[in-house]
Amino acid sequence: MNYSRLDAKAYARANMKGIWAAALNPFHEDFSFDEEGLRSNIRHWVDDLAIAGLFIAGKQGEFFSMSLDERKRNFEIAVEETAGKAGTIMSCSDQNFDTVIELARHAEAVGADYIVVHAPILHFISDQDDTVYEYYKAICERVNIGIAMWSHPDSGYLMSPELCARVAELPNIVAIKYSVPRPMYVQLKEMVGDNILVSTASEEEWLDNILELGWQLYLCSSPPYLLQTANDRRMHDYTQAAFAGDAERAKAISASLDPVRKALRGTRPGGKPQAHQKYWQELLGQVGGPVRPPLLQLTDAEREATRAAFEACGLAL
């Protein structure tokens, strides 16, 4: 690690910037982990698309279908392939607390920059704030690496801005991926100031969050490598224009992506997000492959509709 536990917040403010993407994990047709495919994708994302950081082994990456050894290997490959060219944040989310700590310590050991842990699913609990606070506190006390909170509806509740601000006071909490309605993350940003980095996964809200809220970090989802190619880096370009203060140029570039957004969003079956995104990757020349059970594969008709929309969306290959 490049920082101490007590320096984690300052290090993140100085270094956790720009577009960070959530990696899909490619699998072979027999559902084994395609390590070479992941390496190829990471090289493209970092070298060709200039993505600043990668979110590894999250929900997009189907961590829930992976063994503990596979998740650790996922971390190792990401660190090896980014090799100082991009940051890494490893998802250590799990319902088993010991697994969270084992993954967190492995992330530390292999040289990850940060980890992310989602708020736990809590059974029978209707007043979760103290439990969630103590959960993050216990993780913080057992590791030195910087930690991002992650609140999303899949947990069965959303962490309130007040709870997030309370957790943010822990020394090695550095960020939050806050998958909530905009008024909630605006309120949280006002409450925490620069104490932690606040972000959300919506690409369509990213530009406004730079211009209106002064955000420095997109953390993170798959659009950075689904909306872009080596010859068409409009998400990167509008981000850089916004960072430079050229709002009109940034807005114009972002608006030009609307047909691509519509094609990607409009062909995605509600029950098959990972399968759809992996097929879109394949259309872009990246490595996709099947999803693991119990997730469902695309039908031939769904693939054909996606291909037609992709070819008409105006993304330059």
Side-chain angles (χ1 to χ4, degrees), residues 130-141:
D130 286 345
T131 303
V132 174
Y133 176 81
E134 291 298 331
Y135 177 77
Y136 279 111
K137 182 173 181 285
I139 297 169
C140 286
E141 290 172 345

Side-chain angles (χ1 to χ4, degrees), residues 242-262:
F243 283 165
D246 192 344
E248 292 309 309
R249 180 168 181 268
K251 290 176 181 178
I253 298 170
S254 178
S256 76
L257 274 172
D258 282 346
V260 187
R261 296 183 183 109
K262 182 178 178 181

Side-chain angles (χ1 to χ4, degrees), residues 43-64:
R43 289 193 292 270
H44 168 62
W45 300 338
V46 173
D47 296 341
D48 299 332
L49 304 184
I51 291 173
L54 298 177
F55 184 117
I56 299 298
K59 292 188 296 181
Q60 301 279 15
E62 300 175 64
F63 82 88
F64 44 81

Side-chain angles (χ1 to χ4, degrees), residues 20-173:
W20 288 51
L24 290 154
N25 272 323
F27 301 120
H28 294 292
E29 290 303 316
D30 65 357
F31 303 120
S32 59
F33 186 26
D34 185 351
E35 293 191 8
E36 287 307 312
L38 178 60
R39 290 181 185 276
S40 174
N41 285 345
I42 290 175
R43 289 193 292 270
H44 168 62
W45 300 338
V46 173
D47 296 341
D48 299 332
L49 304 184
I51 291 173
L54 298 177
F55 184 117
I56 299 298
K59 292 188 296 181
Q60 301 279 15
E62 300 175 64
F63 82 88
F64 44 81
S65 72
M66 299 177 74
S67 69
L68 187 56
D69 286 343
E70 285 177 321
R71 294 175 72 179
K72 289 180 178 180
R73 184 63 181 146
N74 208 176
F75 294 0
E76 294 164 6
I77 291 169
V79 171
E80 290 168 8
E81 291 299 332
T82 53
K85 296 182 292 183
T88 55
I89 183 166
M90 310 307 191
S91 176
C92 300
S93 301
D94 202 89
Q95 281 303 102
N96 183 287
F97 184 79
D98 289 342
T99 297
V100 173
I101 300 305
E102 184 173 348
L103 287 169
R105 288 174 174 165
H106 187 72
E108 273 189 13
V110 301
D113 293 296
Y114 316 96
I115 63 169
V116 59
V117 181
H118 70 56
I121 298 170
L122 298 174
H123 304 286
F124 311 118
I125 292 177
S126 59
D127 184 6
Q128 67 274 349
D129 283 18
D130 286 345
T131 303
V132 174
Y133 176 81
E134 291 298 331
Y135 177 77
Y136 279 111
K137 182 173 181 285
I139 297 169
C140 286
E141 290 172 345
R142 287 163 172 78
V143 298
N144 295 310
I145 197 167
I147 302 167
M149 297 177 276
W150 184 9
S151 180
H152 54 72
D154 293 1
S155 294
Y157 60 91
L158 294 176
M159 294 173 62
S160 69
E162 292 80 9
L163 173 58
C164 295
R166 180 183 174 195
V167 177
E169 292 300 317
L170 295 168
N172 46 332
I173 295 290

